[in-house]
Amino acid sequence: MCTSALWLMCVSLLFSTSLSCYQCFVDVQDSLRLCWGHILTEHNIRNVDACFRKLDSIFNNNKRVIEAGRVGKGYDKQLKELLNAEILPMVEEFNNRLNDDTVYEERLQTAADNFIAAASKLPRVSGCFPPCGFQSAGAVYNCITCQYDSCEFPLDCPVKEIKVMENSRSRMWCDVPFHLPNDIEVIWRFAEEVKTQQVDQFKEVTAGVDRLYSIPSASLQHQGTYLCEIYSGQRSIVRLYYYLTGCGRPHRAAGDIRPVSAPRRVVTPCAWWSSPLPPPPFTTASHSLFNCFAAAAIPLPRDSVLAINTRANKSF
């Protein structure tokens, strides 16, 4: 049995392997006073460390206690109040008094059950919104670590692909479904031509509080990945990625002559911008990206004039 000089060490050793809401909220000195008069009825001796093992069994290894303590942000104070309301009256009642281990067993188990019932009524986690971002409002209290756990999502959101027509307006909103602090800073970055989430490939474009990034007239030079990173103080909260790719507007090639009576040609879907590739012979890269009409033979009625469709090969 531990002497009074070694009680604090006994508590540390007995509770070192696992924690629970009990260790988070009940002072060690109160636990010592509570267990001072613990009697092992089998041997009729006072045994304090046996009392701590009983606390460990009823609270630390009780999954129901730990689960009841998984409350939303800010409710850990109520957890402490609930547990102290059960334990502290016992501390005053048992201090410097001898009580059989069976009394301890019954009273501590009742205290644990009462705590579970009351704590389970407290608001649960505020809500985690997958798949990304540091969400402090969605944090849940963990009685094993005595602190709040985050939603455990990565900072980086999946890349969202945006397709636009050449010369059209494009807007990207740096918006998230979870609550943001009031002191945010928004930094927009751009990685030209590539689809990536490698932060070192981006160059800063703008910084401030504006979560909207607008491109008035999209063109090939705007193709690439846009990164919006939101900060609060020095902490990065979330990184959103937008891969902008586009399609050239259809236009009539030089030499495309057709009679009024000729049937309307079906417009071939335009080619989407892609990462630059070596241009084919006699064709510029810009022309191959923005030309949406391929040369094709056009069937005509018997008495109709033949339409000649050629593709001009010139740089834009």
mmCIF file of all heavy atoms in Angstrom, residues 199-226:
data_model
loop_
_atom_site.group_PDB
_atom_site.id
_atom_site.type_symbol
_atom_site.label_atom_id
_atom_site.label_comp_id
_atom_site.label_asym_id
_atom_site.label_seq_id
_atom_site.Cartn_x
_atom_site.Cartn_y
_atom_site.Cartn_z
ATOM 1 N N VAL A 199 1.927 22.839 -54.096
ATOM 2 C CA VAL A 199 1.884 24.250 -53.718
ATOM 3 C C VAL A 199 3.076 25.022 -54.269
ATOM 4 O O VAL A 199 2.954 26.206 -54.614
ATOM 5 C CB VAL A 199 1.812 24.378 -52.184
ATOM 6 C CG1 VAL A 199 1.817 25.840 -51.760
ATOM 7 C CG2 VAL A 199 0.560 23.685 -51.653
ATOM 8 N N ASP A 200 4.235 24.372 -54.390
ATOM 9 C CA ASP A 200 5.426 25.088 -54.855
ATOM 10 C C ASP A 200 5.369 25.443 -56.332
ATOM 11 O O ASP A 200 6.227 26.178 -56.837
ATOM 12 C CB ASP A 200 6.686 24.272 -54.555
ATOM 13 C CG ASP A 200 6.659 22.889 -55.200
ATOM 14 O OD1 ASP A 200 5.628 22.538 -55.828
ATOM 15 O OD2 ASP A 200 7.653 22.151 -55.076
ATOM 16 N N GLN A 201 4.369 24.967 -57.059
ATOM 17 C CA GLN A 201 4.226 25.301 -58.475
ATOM 18 C C GLN A 201 3.385 26.561 -58.696
ATOM 19 O O GLN A 201 3.229 27.013 -59.822
ATOM 20 C CB GLN A 201 3.591 24.132 -59.242
ATOM 21 C CG GLN A 201 4.446 22.876 -59.256
ATOM 22 C CD GLN A 201 3.871 21.807 -60.171
ATOM 23 O OE1 GLN A 201 3.234 22.104 -61.187
ATOM 24 N NE2 GLN A 201 4.096 20.545 -59.834
ATOM 25 N N PHE A 202 2.834 27.114 -57.611
ATOM 26 C CA PHE A 202 1.936 28.259 -57.737
ATOM 27 C C PHE A 202 2.668 29.571 -57.488
ATOM 28 O O PHE A 202 3.627 29.625 -56.712
ATOM 29 C CB PHE A 202 0.768 28.131 -56.753
ATOM 30 C CG PHE A 202 -0.205 27.041 -57.088
ATOM 31 C CD1 PHE A 202 0.038 25.729 -56.701
ATOM 32 C CD2 PHE A 202 -1.369 27.323 -57.775
ATOM 33 C CE1 PHE A 202 -0.862 24.723 -56.998
ATOM 34 C CE2 PHE A 202 -2.277 26.328 -58.080
ATOM 35 C CZ PHE A 202 -2.025 25.029 -57.689
ATOM 36 N N LYS A 203 2.187 30.622 -58.139
ATOM 37 C CA LYS A 203 2.659 31.980 -57.906
ATOM 38 C C LYS A 203 1.501 32.820 -57.389
ATOM 39 O O LYS A 203 0.368 32.694 -57.868
ATOM 40 C CB LYS A 203 3.208 32.586 -59.194
ATOM 41 C CG LYS A 203 4.459 31.892 -59.719
ATOM 42 C CD LYS A 203 4.975 32.571 -60.968
ATOM 43 C CE LYS A 203 6.255 31.898 -61.474
ATOM 44 N NZ LYS A 203 6.764 32.558 -62.709
ATOM 45 N N GLU A 204 1.789 33.647 -56.404
ATOM 46 C CA GLU A 204 0.734 34.463 -55.800
ATOM 47 C C GLU A 204 0.195 35.479 -56.801
ATOM 48 O O GLU A 204 0.957 36.131 -57.524
ATOM 49 C CB GLU A 204 1.269 35.168 -54.557
ATOM 50 C CG GLU A 204 0.205 35.962 -53.808
ATOM 51 C CD GLU A 204 0.712 36.533 -52.493
ATOM 52 O OE1 GLU A 204 1.441 35.790 -51.782
ATOM 53 O OE2 GLU A 204 0.383 37.692 -52.189
ATOM 54 N N VAL A 205 -1.125 35.611 -56.833
ATOM 55 C CA VAL A 205 -1.795 36.544 -57.732
ATOM 56 C C VAL A 205 -2.354 37.731 -56.960
ATOM 57 O O VAL A 205 -2.171 38.888 -57.326
ATOM 58 C CB VAL A 205 -2.924 35.844 -58.515
ATOM 59 C CG1 VAL A 205 -3.661 36.838 -59.407
ATOM 60 C CG2 VAL A 205 -2.369 34.698 -59.350
ATOM 61 N N THR A 206 -3.047 37.440 -55.863
ATOM 62 C CA THR A 206 -3.643 38.510 -55.071
ATOM 63 C C THR A 206 -3.836 38.040 -53.639
ATOM 64 O O THR A 206 -3.942 36.841 -53.374
ATOM 65 C CB THR A 206 -5.000 38.949 -55.660
ATOM 66 O OG1 THR A 206 -5.551 40.011 -54.873
ATOM 67 C CG2 THR A 206 -5.981 37.792 -55.668
ATOM 68 N N ALA A 207 -3.873 38.999 -52.718
ATOM 69 C CA ALA A 207 -4.089 38.699 -51.303
ATOM 70 C C ALA A 207 -5.001 39.758 -50.716
ATOM 71 O O ALA A 207 -4.936 40.927 -51.093
ATOM 72 C CB ALA A 207 -2.771 38.646 -50.539
ATOM 73 N N GLY A 208 -5.865 39.329 -49.806
ATOM 74 C CA GLY A 208 -6.811 40.254 -49.188
ATOM 75 C C GLY A 208 -7.920 39.502 -48.505
ATOM 76 O O GLY A 208 -7.681 38.465 -47.879
ATOM 77 N N VAL A 209 -9.141 39.990 -48.648
ATOM 78 C CA VAL A 209 -10.300 39.330 -48.031
ATOM 79 C C VAL A 209 -11.329 38.895 -49.076
ATOM 80 O O VAL A 209 -12.352 38.320 -48.728
ATOM 81 C CB VAL A 209 -10.981 40.259 -47.003
ATOM 82 C CG1 VAL A 209 -10.043 40.560 -45.850
ATOM 83 C CG2 VAL A 209 -11.443 41.553 -47.655
ATOM 84 N N ASP A 210 -11.033 39.162 -50.351
ATOM 85 C CA ASP A 210 -11.993 38.857 -51.412
ATOM 86 C C ASP A 210 -11.947 37.370 -51.741
ATOM 87 O O ASP A 210 -10.902 36.848 -52.139
ATOM 88 C CB ASP A 210 -11.675 39.680 -52.655
ATOM 89 C CG ASP A 210 -12.840 39.690 -53.653
ATOM 90 O OD1 ASP A 210 -13.800 38.919 -53.434
ATOM 91 O OD2 ASP A 210 -12.788 40.462 -54.619
ATOM 92 N N ARG A 211 -13.073 36.702 -51.582
ATOM 93 C CA ARG A 211 -13.143 35.274 -51.878
ATOM 94 C C ARG A 211 -13.629 34.991 -53.293
ATOM 95 O O ARG A 211 -13.816 33.834 -53.672
ATOM 96 C CB ARG A 211 -14.041 34.560 -50.868
ATOM 97 C CG ARG A 211 -13.411 34.463 -49.486
ATOM 98 C CD ARG A 211 -14.175 33.516 -48.589
ATOM 99 N NE ARG A 211 -15.335 34.131 -47.987
ATOM 100 C CZ ARG A 211 -16.326 33.460 -47.418
ATOM 101 N NH1 ARG A 211 -16.294 32.137 -47.402
ATOM 102 N NH2 ARG A 211 -17.337 34.093 -46.877
ATOM 103 N N LEU A 212 -13.825 36.037 -54.078
ATOM 104 C CA LEU A 212 -14.236 35.886 -55.472
ATOM 105 C C LEU A 212 -13.066 36.242 -56.380
ATOM 106 O O LEU A 212 -12.459 37.306 -56.242
ATOM 107 C CB LEU A 212 -15.427 36.790 -55.786
ATOM 108 C CG LEU A 212 -15.811 36.910 -57.274
ATOM 109 C CD1 LEU A 212 -16.270 35.561 -57.820
ATOM 110 C CD2 LEU A 212 -16.895 37.964 -57.466
ATOM 111 N N TYR A 213 -12.755 35.348 -57.323
ATOM 112 C CA TYR A 213 -11.745 35.630 -58.338
ATOM 113 C C TYR A 213 -12.433 35.580 -59.692
ATOM 114 O O TYR A 213 -13.031 34.576 -60.058
ATOM 115 C CB TYR A 213 -10.612 34.618 -58.281
ATOM 116 C CG TYR A 213 -9.421 34.988 -59.130
ATOM 117 C CD1 TYR A 213 -8.417 35.791 -58.615
ATOM 118 C CD2 TYR A 213 -9.313 34.553 -60.441
ATOM 119 C CE1 TYR A 213 -7.322 36.153 -59.386
ATOM 120 C CE2 TYR A 213 -8.223 34.906 -61.222
ATOM 121 C CZ TYR A 213 -7.235 35.713 -60.687
ATOM 122 O OH TYR A 213 -6.162 36.079 -61.456
ATOM 123 N N SER A 214 -12.327 36.663 -60.430
ATOM 124 C CA SER A 214 -13.061 36.789 -61.686
ATOM 125 C C SER A 214 -12.102 37.010 -62.842
ATOM 126 O O SER A 214 -11.139 37.784 -62.735
ATOM 127 C CB SER A 214 -14.063 37.948 -61.594
ATOM 128 O OG SER A 214 -14.757 38.106 -62.814
ATOM 129 N N ILE A 215 -12.373 36.333 -63.952
ATOM 130 C CA ILE A 215 -11.641 36.532 -65.204
ATOM 131 C C ILE A 215 -12.637 37.079 -66.218
ATOM 132 O O ILE A 215 -13.543 36.354 -66.661
ATOM 133 C CB ILE A 215 -11.032 35.213 -65.711
ATOM 134 C CG1 ILE A 215 -10.074 34.646 -64.657
ATOM 135 C CG2 ILE A 215 -10.295 35.423 -67.033
ATOM 136 C CD1 ILE A 215 -9.528 33.277 -65.015
ATOM 137 N N PRO A 216 -12.529 38.358 -66.595
ATOM 138 C CA PRO A 216 -13.538 38.952 -67.489
ATOM 139 C C PRO A 216 -13.626 38.282 -68.855
ATOM 140 O O PRO A 216 -14.719 38.125 -69.392
ATOM 141 C CB PRO A 216 -13.065 40.418 -67.617
ATOM 142 C CG PRO A 216 -12.186 40.643 -66.428
ATOM 143 C CD PRO A 216 -11.525 39.339 -66.162
ATOM 144 N N SER A 217 -12.484 37.897 -69.424
ATOM 145 C CA SER A 217 -12.479 37.309 -70.766
ATOM 146 C C SER A 217 -11.444 36.195 -70.799
ATOM 147 O O SER A 217 -10.242 36.443 -70.904
ATOM 148 C CB SER A 217 -12.167 38.380 -71.819
ATOM 149 O OG SER A 217 -12.180 37.830 -73.122
ATOM 150 N N ALA A 218 -11.898 34.966 -70.696
ATOM 151 C CA ALA A 218 -10.990 33.826 -70.601
ATOM 152 C C ALA A 218 -10.324 33.538 -71.933
ATOM 153 O O ALA A 218 -10.943 33.637 -72.997
ATOM 154 C CB ALA A 218 -11.753 32.593 -70.122
ATOM 155 N N SER A 219 -9.065 33.185 -71.869
ATOM 156 C CA SER A 219 -8.321 32.796 -73.056
ATOM 157 C C SER A 219 -7.336 31.703 -72.671
ATOM 158 O O SER A 219 -7.254 31.296 -71.508
ATOM 159 C CB SER A 219 -7.583 34.004 -73.650
ATOM 160 O OG SER A 219 -6.633 34.504 -72.721
ATOM 161 N N LEU A 220 -6.563 31.273 -73.661
ATOM 162 C CA LEU A 220 -5.642 30.167 -73.416
ATOM 163 C C LEU A 220 -4.645 30.472 -72.309
ATOM 164 O O LEU A 220 -4.242 29.593 -71.554
ATOM 165 C CB LEU A 220 -4.899 29.822 -74.710
ATOM 166 C CG LEU A 220 -3.870 28.681 -74.628
ATOM 167 C CD1 LEU A 220 -4.546 27.386 -74.207
ATOM 168 C CD2 LEU A 220 -3.159 28.514 -75.962
ATOM 169 N N GLN A 221 -4.259 31.747 -72.183
ATOM 170 C CA GLN A 221 -3.284 32.111 -71.163
ATOM 171 C C GLN A 221 -3.817 31.951 -69.743
ATOM 172 O O GLN A 221 -3.062 31.953 -68.786
ATOM 173 C CB GLN A 221 -2.842 33.563 -71.377
ATOM 174 C CG GLN A 221 -3.938 34.577 -71.133
ATOM 175 C CD GLN A 221 -3.476 36.003 -71.342
ATOM 176 O OE1 GLN A 221 -2.278 36.261 -71.475
ATOM 177 N NE2 GLN A 221 -4.408 36.937 -71.377
ATOM 178 N N HIS A 222 -5.145 31.821 -69.603
ATOM 179 C CA HIS A 222 -5.738 31.630 -68.285
ATOM 180 C C HIS A 222 -5.875 30.161 -67.897
ATOM 181 O O HIS A 222 -6.330 29.849 -66.793
ATOM 182 C CB HIS A 222 -7.121 32.282 -68.235
ATOM 183 C CG HIS A 222 -7.090 33.774 -68.399
ATOM 184 N ND1 HIS A 222 -7.610 34.415 -69.497
ATOM 185 C CD2 HIS A 222 -6.559 34.737 -67.613
ATOM 186 C CE1 HIS A 222 -7.431 35.724 -69.369
ATOM 187 N NE2 HIS A 222 -6.793 35.944 -68.239
ATOM 188 N N GLN A 223 -5.507 29.272 -68.815
ATOM 189 C CA GLN A 223 -5.619 27.849 -68.500
ATOM 190 C C GLN A 223 -4.620 27.460 -67.420
ATOM 191 O O GLN A 223 -3.460 27.869 -67.438
ATOM 192 C CB GLN A 223 -5.364 26.999 -69.735
ATOM 193 C CG GLN A 223 -5.468 25.494 -69.449
ATOM 194 C CD GLN A 223 -4.990 24.656 -70.616
ATOM 195 O OE1 GLN A 223 -4.565 25.214 -71.616
ATOM 196 N NE2 GLN A 223 -5.060 23.358 -70.471
ATOM 197 N N GLY A 224 -5.070 26.690 -66.449
ATOM 198 C CA GLY A 224 -4.211 26.221 -65.371
ATOM 199 C C GLY A 224 -5.001 26.033 -64.091
ATOM 200 O O GLY A 224 -6.234 26.022 -64.097
ATOM 201 N N THR A 225 -4.296 25.885 -62.984
ATOM 202 C CA THR A 225 -4.927 25.626 -61.696
ATOM 203 C C THR A 225 -4.855 26.880 -60.821
ATOM 204 O O THR A 225 -3.787 27.475 -60.675
ATOM 205 C CB THR A 225 -4.245 24.460 -60.972
ATOM 206 O OG1 THR A 225 -4.214 23.318 -61.831
ATOM 207 C CG2 THR A 225 -4.999 24.093 -59.702
ATOM 208 N N TYR A 226 -5.995 27.228 -60.258
ATOM 209 C CA TYR A 226 -6.077 28.370 -59.348
ATOM 210 C C TYR A 226 -6.239 27.835 -57.927
ATOM 211 O O TYR A 226 -7.044 26.946 -57.674
ATOM 212 C CB TYR A 226 -7.256 29.270 -59.714
ATOM 213 C CG TYR A 226 -7.070 29.962 -61.040
ATOM 214 C CD1 TYR A 226 -7.331 29.293 -62.234
ATOM 215 C CD2 TYR A 226 -6.622 31.281 -61.106
ATOM 216 C CE1 TYR A 226 -7.141 29.913 -63.468
ATOM 217 C CE2 TYR A 226 -6.432 31.916 -62.332
ATOM 218 C CZ TYR A 226 -6.695 31.225 -63.505
ATOM 219 O OH TYR A 226 -6.506 31.849 -64.707
#
